[in-house]
Amino acid sequence: MDWRRSLIALILCTFLSGYHAQEFYDFTEHPANVYIAGSESEVKMSCNAAPMQNRVWTYRWRLNNGYLSNQAIGNAIFVGYDTNALTIRPQTSIHDVTIFGTNNNFTCVATNNHGPITSNIARVLRIGKPYFQGNGLVNIQSTVVAGQPAVIRCRYTAFPEIPISILWYYTNNGILLTTSADGRVAIGIDGSVYIANLLVGDAAPYRCAVRPDEPSNTNVAYYSGNTTLNVTPRSCTGTLCDFGPQFHRTSANVRGRVGLSATLECIGRGRPTPAISWCSYNPNTQLCSNIQASSKYTFNQASTRLTINNLIIQDAGIYRCTARSSRGSVYASNNLQVDPILTWVTRFTSMSASVEDTVTLPCDAYGSPPLTYTWYKQAILLPMTNSRFSMSSTNGNLTIRNLNNDTGIYQCVVQDRYNKIASGGFFEVKVFAARFTAQMPKQQIIQVGPSAQVKCPIDGGPKPTITYFFNGNQINLLGSNKYQSLRTGNLLIKNVIAADGGNYTCRGRNRINPSNQYVSGWATVYVYAATRILTGPTTRDFRIGSTVTIPCNVTADPRIINAVTVRWEKDGQSLQGPKYLIRNSYPDYSLTINNAQIQESGNYTCTMTAVIAQVPGQSIVDSKTGVINFNAIPAAPRLIYAKLVNSSHLFLNWSFTAGNENNSPLTKFVIQFKSNYISTIRTLLELSNTNQRSVIITPSPYMTYFLYVAAENGVGLSQRSNEWEINNPNTAVPSDAPTNLYSVADLSDLTKLTVVWTPLTGEQANAPGLRYILRYRESSTVNVYRPIEVNSANYTITGLTPRVRYDFNLRALNNVGPSETFIDHIGCTCQEIPEGSPFNITVQVTNTYTIISWVQVPLHLQRGPIKTNTVRITRLTPFARDTITMNAGTSITLYGLPINTNLTVAINGINSVGEGPYSLDKSFRTNGFDTAHAPTLANPLDADITNITVRFQWTISGQPFYYQPQYRLANQVWKSGNNLTRQSTSVIFTGLLANTAYQFKVNAIYFGGRNVSSNILAVQTKNATGRQVTPWYQQAWFIIIIVIAGLALVIVIVVILCKGRKRAGKFPGLKGEKNPPIPPPPEVIHEEYDTLKASRPPLPHPQTETIPQGDENLLDNESIDSLEQYADLPGLSKFNEDGSFIGEYGDKDFDKHSQYNRDSVVEPAGSHYGTVRDDASYHTNHNTIDMNNSTTFSTFV
């Protein structure tokens, strides 16, 4: 936006009459605050305005809004009040002067013949203020048990305008309290004393003192009352009194400015005293890089304070401090915000405008928000209550309407939280009669196109009223879409055509002109077709040795094509010589430079001239200029000298010859190295000071360096310098701790736990014999750690208690000794959900799909192998959220996201225990291309159709979130089956009715449940084939049993009857009668079955649907058969004679033998509707689509 604002200011200065840029009005020296402590006899302030050509500055000093003079104010007299150096002297004591303090503002006013400007405010501040009052003077007593933490606060009154230091003293002997080397006693930035764990010897009376830092020569200090600390002995002994590390105080959020320093603070507490270490945390990689002391980073008070020097924007971020002891570790995050230096974007300079005009005075700066803008006129605050004045809501641009008596010097002052800058200039309101500011050309040429101007340079103050005539007729400007009067006086003609050629007259006057007197002029205007350069040279960089063609393509009116000539210049000189080849054929007049070198760099101008024969002396001229640079990477520096000064200093010196920048300014020097351990050449230091030729490096012990220097410019990095080998034979304990410590449980044996870490490199060993001390104990106990010495980067511990958490502590060890830094971890002889999330998420939106990529959860945070990832897509307005669960991977391609929509994506990892946390949301925006596609359902082959099944396949461009297959009988409601995964390409519909017409389709479901349906296919199932399956009571084996049983019954009856006859023979009966014959057994009749077979229509296949508890709303009522559906079938009885339902509909035995038996269809496992998850489930809003890479089928009715 900076260049746009500058362009606007340029346009204002170019096209608004009378605008002109001059010099800046500003101070090179502003008066500064003065601090007095008691020994001063006078106070001095000074100021200086920026020198200006032909301008002489005079000075006056003001106190608040009144100018100083030789008259005393109170006890103060003023010397040099009319110079740039003011001296304030007391008539008695300097401390009796009543004009000091924050309510008395001194300013320096500098004046030249255009007017005055004012400096920044300065004050005289006495440091003898009551820093301690109220409870700061009260004697306080506090009793604390030994071993516990304590805080002693300094209750002073702060005066922000006076910088101070806080000191602490033992009251009894007046000895200055110093912080301990191990950090047990520390003084916070807030001035309080923090004790990590009390000793009995800490019992004493304390008091704090405020010592002003200004003036620098003062030794004055102001003391508080006493705080008496009583320490009682502890009742516990040894390690039973220990407690884990915590934080007394952390910085949390700190702001700093580029070029300054920022201090972060973490003060720990615990017993034993925790050690503090610092690292720079990267939320993308979830790794924390250890910070070592250097010129960039300094530590104070046993590393409780970290100071980052010479801040740059890239220093902003998260800095973690870790408090470690044998009882464990804790960390805290401190956020550092780095603000930019307050600088100008567009500053106000001298300018002018005509009376009664509206003008905008620019004032725009960049700094630490919020910025405050203030305007001064003639060194007096400009009142914004005047309705003619208004200031922009986004910057300090000042608009003045209806200019009148507004001439004067204006100043814009901008202030942020760190600094204040000002810029001023002379603004002149001009009053003059309408006049021609230049001669009006009598013959003018304009070109066909969107617009053109007829020159009529009339100006005046106030703005003149101008009337225009075309071929003698007055042009009506009011409401015209064709003509417009410009502030310059010119007439703007829009949509220029050939008919706009002719005679134009303009005349104008304002109220300054005598009555009825006008200034006027005329011109004959000729219209030609567009004659100009279409494409010409632009600012470009090319590499040395290139052959470069610079374009110059023109177009011209057909009447003057033969009159077109083109001339090429470099830096104002015509091009000559064999290196340059100019094509001279309309419309291409391009320039080719062969084997270009640095000396060919410069400003290249293509100028087209077309002589107009119709208008003698007139021609059309157009030109385009581009800055063409031929450059290369710099030449390599040369290493001159390198020496190991001592164990901690390595001196390096190099040279670089001026001119070897190769036409691109140097941006930095890069110190590179490799070692006897790692052969890869890496960057050791980057030096932005391109005048620097030497540096002192802190070398690592027990390592051989191979050093190089390279130079970098805007093209790139040079070749490396010559190599210099330096061996550092010194040794030391390891300075770093291993990283990425984690543990993995053996789920087959929970008494084992494998501990893994990233080992130190040879460059970090600092001595021979690098190994590690791994210590562990159960977390729920206070047992002593069990140490193990390990020579590798992992170790499996056996014999542990299952399902128990363990504390781990790991540090490096070499032949010199163990490292002072270590890393902690809490593991478990169990598997846990992931602790971390995927990171480095990137989104690539194309016209056909969206690719989301990430880096998998770091190994040390997985807590078990990642099985799947969940990708969560969210739209905030209106809110919608979908998730896709996929096999563990690092990318996914999505289709059908809503167009032109702001979305976010977050990803988590899932192991066999559960889900880990989601990553931070990554925002992205889709474009205007709709990537949702419909499936194309293919006609099934004859082999894909049976009497009860139909198999379909489809094709699609891309993949939806999932598929939803559907079917229906003609003119009935669509019924849905199982949702299918996004990789599916086929489905089997089973349990269908034989010889029945169905319609089928597949829906592609995208984000937010958007449905894109396939084509609809109509398919007729085949007739039933094979033997009719009959009920068990109608089958032959059952009939045979019945016949045999019937025969046996007949025999029994005959036997009984025979025996009866024998008994009956003993009694008298009718003579000659015989027993009647026994009738044959009745014939088994299948009438009921036959009738059913002939008249009953085929029944739908029974279905069983498993509905999860709470999801009863998922039941499709239209798909559930009931007895009522068959109550009124013509010619069909509802029940058999035995009371059972006809056909045993829904009976498992019938289902077993029925022609609709689903067991007779070979289907993939999990194909029955509603009974198997099918590895796909989808719900809108906070639900999940599960996805794997297998082809799935859905079977449903």
Side-chain angles (χ1 to χ4, degrees):
M1 291 299 295
D2 297 352
W3 66 270
R4 295 176 182 168
R5 295 188 180 102
S6 300
L7 180 60
I8 291 172
L10 178 62
I11 293 172
L12 288 172
C13 294
T14 303
F15 292 101
L16 295 186
S17 173
Y19 277 76
H20 58 275
Q22 293 181 358
E23 57 278 283
F24 298 104
Y25 287 61
D26 202 356
F27 281 87
T28 56
E29 178 189 3
H30 289 270
N33 288 345
V34 179
Y35 302 89
I36 58 175
S39 60
E40 298 83 357
S41 60
E42 61 185 20
V43 171
K44 292 186 177 182
M45 295 182 180
S46 62
C47 66
N48 274 295
M52 299 181 67
Q53 188 174 4
N54 301 323
R55 299 278 189 271
V56 177
W57 292 105
T58 60
Y59 298 90
R60 287 289 303 273
W61 287 85
R62 288 189 307 199
L63 175 58
N64 297 325
N65 292 323
Y67 284 95
L68 298 178
S69 66
N70 56 6
Q71 298 294 319
I73 298 178
N75 187 39
I77 58 175
F78 305 96
V79 178
Y81 56 84
D82 54 357
T83 70
N84 68 326
L86 173 67
T87 301
I88 306 173
R89 293 172 180 165
Q91 292 180 340
T92 55
S93 168
I94 190 72
H95 279 267
D96 294 333
V97 175
T98 58
I99 59 173
F100 299 154
T102 56
N103 295 325
N104 293 286
N105 302 321
F106 289 87
T107 53
C108 174
V109 178
T111 305
N112 62 26
N113 59 337
H114 276 162
I117 59 174
T118 183
S119 71
N120 292 343
I121 292 172
R123 299 185 176 106
V124 180
L125 302 169
R126 290 180 297 179
I127 65 172
K129 290 191 173 183
Y131 286 99
F132 295 100
Q133 51 189 348
N135 62 11
L137 296 174
V138 176
N139 292 328
I140 301 173
Q141 290 197 8
S142 178
T143 301
V144 187
V145 177
Q148 295 301 305
V151 180
I152 310 173
R153 305 199 181 278
C154 185
R155 297 173 174 84
Y156 68 94
T157 301
F159 297 95
E161 67 275 9
I162 301 179
I164 61 171
S165 296
I166 303 295
L167 307 174
W168 280 88
Y169 294 88
Y170 295 101
T171 306
N172 288 344
N173 50 25
I175 296 176
L176 181 69
L177 173 67
T178 57
T179 57
S180 57
D182 63 353
R184 189 183 70 85
V185 179
I187 299 177
I189 294 175
D190 66 342
S192 301
V193 174
Y194 294 92
I195 304 175
N197 52 83
L198 280 169
L199 303 178
V200 174
D202 292 325
Y206 299 83
R207 66 173 178 170
C208 63
V210 173
R211 186 181 68 192
D213 296 334
E214 293 288 349
S216 58
N217 60 352
T218 182
N219 292 318
V220 176
Y222 302 89
Y223 294 90
S224 71
N226 294 331
T227 297
T228 301
L229 185 64
N230 299 311
V231 181
T232 60
R234 59 181 183 267
S235 57
C236 55
T237 58
T239 59
L240 295 178
C241 297
D242 291 353
F243 61 96
Q246 297 173 341
F247 285 107
H248 265 306
R249 170 184 169 83
T250 63
S251 300
N253 297 301
V254 174
R255 294 181 70 172
R257 199 208 72 187
V258 169
L260 302 180
S261 299
T263 298
L264 310 177
E265 183 176 51
C266 285
I267 301 176
R269 60 182 181 179
R271 188 177 186 274
T273 302
I276 305 296
S277 62
W278 292 83
C279 61
S280 176
Y281 178 70
N282 186 331
N284 291 324
T285 63
Q286 302 182 53
L287 298 176
C288 211
S289 303
N290 289 333
I291 296 176
Q292 303 294 331
S294 64
S295 59
K296 180 69 175 179
Y297 304 103
T298 54
F299 296 99
N300 289 291
Q301 295 192 158
S303 297
T304 59
R305 291 187 190 178
L306 166 65
T307 299
I308 306 172
N309 302 302
N310 192 22
L311 288 173
I312 58 176
I313 293 294
Q314 292 75 11
D315 289 328
I318 301 173
Y319 292 83
R320 278 187 176 176
C321 56
T322 302
R324 293 187 178 92
S325 72
S326 58
R327 297 290 296 174
S329 68
V330 293
Y331 70 82
S333 294
N334 302 270
N335 297 307
L336 174 63
Q337 175 181 329
V338 180
D339 296 322
I341 297 175
L342 183 62
T343 54
W344 287 111
V345 175
T346 306
R347 62 187 300 179
F348 171 63
T349 63
S350 297
M351 55 193 302
S352 65
S354 297
V355 68
E356 297 181 3
D357 270 1
T358 294
V359 68
T360 296
L361 310 185
C363 182
D364 192 10
Y366 174 70
S368 173
L371 304 184
T372 57
Y373 294 86
T374 307
W375 280 91
Y376 293 83
K377 178 188 176 185
Q378 302 295 94
I380 302 297
L381 185 66
L382 187 68
M384 301 305 296
T385 54
N386 191 324
S387 60
R388 294 193 304 114
F389 298 94
S390 62
M391 194 159 58
S392 170
S393 59
T394 58
N395 51 41
N397 289 352
L398 175 67
T399 298
I400 308 175
R401 297 170 181 83
N402 191 22
L403 289 171
N404 196 353
N405 298 320
D406 297 305
T407 296
I409 293 182
Y410 288 76
Q411 283 178 276
C412 179
V413 180
V414 191
Q415 184 172 7
D416 68 1
R417 62 185 287 123
Y418 303 99
N419 201 4
K420 181 188 294 186
I421 56 177
S423 181
F426 178 64
F427 176 66
E428 181 182 7
V429 179
K430 293 186 175 182
V431 180
F432 59 98
R435 65 180 182 223
F436 278 99
T437 58
Q439 184 176 1
M440 182 177 181
K442 298 304 179 184
Q443 293 181 317
Q444 300 184 30
I445 297 171
I446 63 175
Q447 300 181 38
V448 173
S451 65
Q453 294 183 30
V454 177
K455 297 180 178 65
C456 179
I458 297 177
D459 191 16
K463 178 183 176 181
T465 300
I466 304 176
T467 306
Y468 304 91
F469 299 85
F470 175 54
N471 291 334
N473 299 315
Q474 183 175 342
I475 297 173
N476 184 11
L477 297 176
L478 186 63
S480 174
N481 294 324
K482 180 70 174 178
Y483 303 100
Q484 180 182 344
S485 177
L486 301 180
R487 180 65 184 82
T488 58
N490 294 346
L491 176 67
L492 178 68
I493 305 175
K494 302 175 183 177
N495 300 318
V496 179
I497 58 177
D500 290 321
N503 296 318
Y504 287 81
T505 302
C506 62
R507 68 179 188 181
R509 68 178 303 277
N510 62 16
R511 57 184 170 82
I512 308 301
N513 292 93
S515 179
N516 296 323
Q517 289 190 10
Y518 296 86
V519 293
S520 64
W522 63 271
T524 300
V525 175
Y526 301 90
V527 179
Y528 279 77
T531 302
R532 58 189 176 86
I533 299 175
L534 296 175
T535 56
T538 57
T539 298
R540 293 284 306 276
D541 285 348
F542 298 96
R543 299 296 169 261
I544 292 173
S546 303
T547 295
V548 175
T549 297
I550 308 172
C552 185
N553 296 310
V554 306
T555 183
D557 188 294
R559 293 171 288 177
I560 55 175
I561 285 178
N562 294 331
V564 171
T565 59
V566 173
R567 183 180 74 258
W568 277 94
E569 295 179 339
K570 172 182 172 289
D571 297 331
Q573 300 296 320
S574 295
L575 294 178
Q576 297 177 353
K579 187 176 284 290
Y580 303 104
L581 175 63
I582 300 175
R583 184 178 177 87
N584 194 13
S585 176
Y586 178 88
D588 184 3
Y589 297 87
S590 57
L591 167 67
T592 298
I593 308 174
N594 296 307
N595 189 25
Q597 299 301 312
I598 287 181
Q599 57 268 27
E600 270 72 65
S601 300
N603 296 322
Y604 284 79
T605 302
C606 165
T607 303
M608 179 203 78
T609 303
V611 177
I612 310 298
Q614 181 184 2
V615 186
Q618 292 287 322
S619 60
I620 298 176
V621 180
D622 190 21
S623 67
K624 289 187 181 295
T625 300
V627 180
I628 307 298
N629 284 318
F630 297 97
N631 49 34
I633 62 174
R638 176 172 178 77
L639 264 176
I640 300 174
Y641 181 71
K643 181 180 180 181
L644 186 67
V645 180
N646 52 45
S647 62
S648 58
H649 291 87
L650 190 160
F651 178 76
L652 192 66
N653 180 228
W654 65 93
S655 65
F656 185 84
T657 304
N660 283 351
E661 299 88 349
N662 285 340
N663 208 30
S664 178
L666 291 185
T667 57
K668 67 176 83 168
F669 285 106
V670 180
I671 312 300
Q672 299 176 322
F673 79 105
K674 66 180 181 179
S675 72
N676 56 320
Y677 299 104
I678 301 175
S679 61
T680 303
I681 296 177
R682 290 150 288 153
T683 295
L684 182 63
L685 288 173
E686 291 186 354
L687 306 173
S688 58
N689 182 1
T690 56
N691 295 318
Q692 189 170 344
R693 296 294 184 270
S694 63
V695 70
I696 293 178
I697 300 169
T698 302
S700 294
Y702 195 64
M703 184 170 125
T704 299
Y705 283 87
F706 301 89
L707 296 166
Y708 315 85
V709 180
E712 184 175 297
N713 62 10
V715 179
L717 191 66
S718 74
Q719 298 293 319
R720 288 183 288 275
S721 69
N722 53 308
E723 180 182 278
W724 202 291
E725 180 178 343
I726 292 288
N727 177 51
N728 183 6
N730 299 288
T731 59
V733 300
S735 55
D736 297 325
T739 56
N740 301 332
L741 178 64
Y742 66 98
S743 58
V744 180
D746 185 347
L747 299 183
S748 63
D749 185 357
L750 294 181
T751 64
K752 295 181 179 179
L753 201 60
T754 298
V755 185
V756 185
W757 59 90
T758 300
L760 300 185
T761 66
E763 294 177 354
Q764 297 171 298
N766 292 352
L770 178 64
R771 52 203 187 274
Y772 304 93
I773 300 174
L774 174 65
R775 304 192 306 160
Y776 70 96
R777 69 178 179 189
E778 289 190 15
S779 300
S780 60
T781 68
V782 292
N783 295 337
V784 177
Y785 280 97
R786 301 178 186 178
I788 303 171
E789 192 168 302
V790 183
N791 291 317
S792 63
N794 61 77
Y795 188 82
T796 299
I797 304 174
T798 60
L800 301 176
T801 305
R803 299 178 182 85
V804 169
R805 294 187 180 277
Y806 282 83
D807 295 334
F808 294 94
N809 175 287
L810 181 71
R811 72 178 70 209
L813 171 73
N814 60 22
N815 290 349
V816 177
S819 170
E820 296 180 358
T821 61
F822 53 88
I823 186 171
D824 293 305
H825 167 68
I826 298 177
C828 182
T829 50
C830 58
Q831 192 172 3
E832 301 175 286
I833 63 172
E835 181 181 346
S837 57
F839 59 97
N840 277 1
I841 299 174
T842 60
V843 181
Q844 179 185 0
V845 178
T846 72
N847 296 344
T848 54
Y849 48 73
T850 298
I851 298 178
I852 300 173
S853 305
W854 61 90
V855 178
Q856 192 56 271
V857 179
L859 283 174
H860 66 287
L861 301 176
Q862 289 187 6
R863 299 291 186 260
I866 298 297
K867 304 292 185 183
T868 56
N869 291 107
T870 300
V871 180
R872 184 181 71 192
I873 307 293
T874 303
R875 180 184 63 204
L876 297 179
T877 307
F879 183 83
R881 175 172 286 172
D882 285 343
T883 55
I884 300 177
T885 299
M886 55 174 285
N887 289 337
T890 57
S891 69
I892 187 172
T893 302
L894 298 180
Y895 298 80
L897 296 178
I899 65 173
N900 295 326
T901 302
N902 294 321
L903 301 171
T904 63
V905 58
I907 305 166
N908 73 0
I910 305 173
N911 60 21
S912 57
V913 176
E915 295 190 33
Y918 276 99
S919 65
L920 297 175
D921 280 313
K922 170 77 173 180
S923 299
F924 66 98
R925 182 175 177 83
T926 56
N927 57 25
F929 291 86
D930 189 357
T931 59
H933 302 281
T936 301
L937 206 57
N939 285 304
L941 301 175
D942 185 69
D944 292 333
I945 306 174
T946 71
N947 61 317
I948 60 172
T949 64
V950 178
R951 181 175 183 269
F952 286 97
Q953 290 183 302
W954 62 85
T955 59
I956 190 173
S957 297
Q959 290 179 329
F961 278 35
Y962 70 99
Y963 292 102
Q964 181 191 61
Q966 290 187 314
Y967 80 105
R968 70 178 179 184
L969 295 172
N971 301 321
Q972 292 190 10
V973 177
W974 288 101
K975 297 183 182 294
S976 302
N978 278 0
N979 297 329
L980 305 181
T981 64
R982 62 200 307 258
Q983 291 89 359
S984 301
T985 58
S986 65
V987 63
I988 296 177
F989 295 83
T990 189
L992 305 175
L993 304 182
N995 194 26
T996 302
Y998 287 92
Q999 289 181 329
F1000 301 91
K1001 68 175 180 178
V1002 173
N1003 301 322
I1005 310 299
Y1006 294 93
F1007 178 83
R1010 179 186 176 190
N1011 183 337
V1012 181
S1013 298
S1014 72
N1015 53 311
I1016 298 174
L1017 292 181
V1019 176
Q1020 177 95 12
T1021 56
K1022 295 181 179 180
N1023 288 325
T1025 58
R1027 180 176 58 86
Q1028 176 70 44
V1029 179
T1030 57
W1032 59 272
Y1033 53 81
Q1034 295 178 355
Q1035 295 188 23
W1037 62 270
F1038 182 75
I1039 295 174
I1040 292 171
I1041 292 175
I1042 294 299
V1043 171
I1044 293 174
L1047 290 175
L1049 179 61
V1050 170
I1051 293 172
V1052 171
I1053 293 173
V1054 170
V1055 171
I1056 292 173
L1057 291 175
C1058 289
K1059 289 185 178 181
R1061 287 183 63 87
K1062 290 181 179 180
R1063 292 193 184 98
K1066 299 178 181 180
F1067 300 94
L1070 296 176
K1071 188 177 180 178
E1073 278 190 358
K1074 297 181 179 179
N1075 292 330
I1078 298 174
E1083 183 179 80
V1084 178
I1085 299 174
H1086 299 281
E1087 179 182 358
E1088 180 184 349
Y1089 174 80
D1090 293 338
T1091 301
L1092 174 63
K1093 181 169 64 175
S1095 61
R1096 180 182 176 183
L1099 299 178
H1101 191 281
Q1103 65 181 15
T1104 302
E1105 184 169 9
T1106 302
I1107 305 297
Q1109 184 177 359
D1111 284 352
E1112 292 81 355
N1113 59 322
L1114 299 180
L1115 285 171
D1116 183 356
N1117 293 328
E1118 296 182 1
S1119 68
I1120 301 177
D1121 294 323
S1122 69
L1123 300 180
E1124 296 176 358
Q1125 291 178 292
Y1126 302 96
D1128 299 319
L1129 292 176
L1132 181 63
S1133 174
K1134 299 179 183 178
F1135 299 95
N1136 286 322
E1137 293 177 355
D1138 62 358
S1140 64
F1141 180 58
I1142 292 176
E1144 295 291 66
Y1145 176 68
D1147 184 81
K1148 293 182 180 179
D1149 291 333
F1150 174 79
D1151 190 43
K1152 186 191 306 179
H1153 303 290
S1154 164
Q1155 62 174 321
Y1156 308 113
N1157 175 17
R1158 63 180 69 185
D1159 292 336
S1160 67
V1161 180
V1162 178
E1163 299 171 355
S1167 65
H1168 293 292
Y1169 173 56
T1171 60
V1172 177
R1173 174 172 171 265
D1174 194 28
D1175 275 321
S1177 63
Y1178 174 87
H1179 300 286
T1180 301
N1181 290 338
H1182 306 285
N1183 289 322
T1184 301
I1185 307 167
D1186 292 337
M1187 178 180 74
N1188 63 19
N1189 295 322
S1190 62
T1191 302
T1192 61
F1193 300 85
S1194 178
T1195 308
F1196 54 90
V1197 183

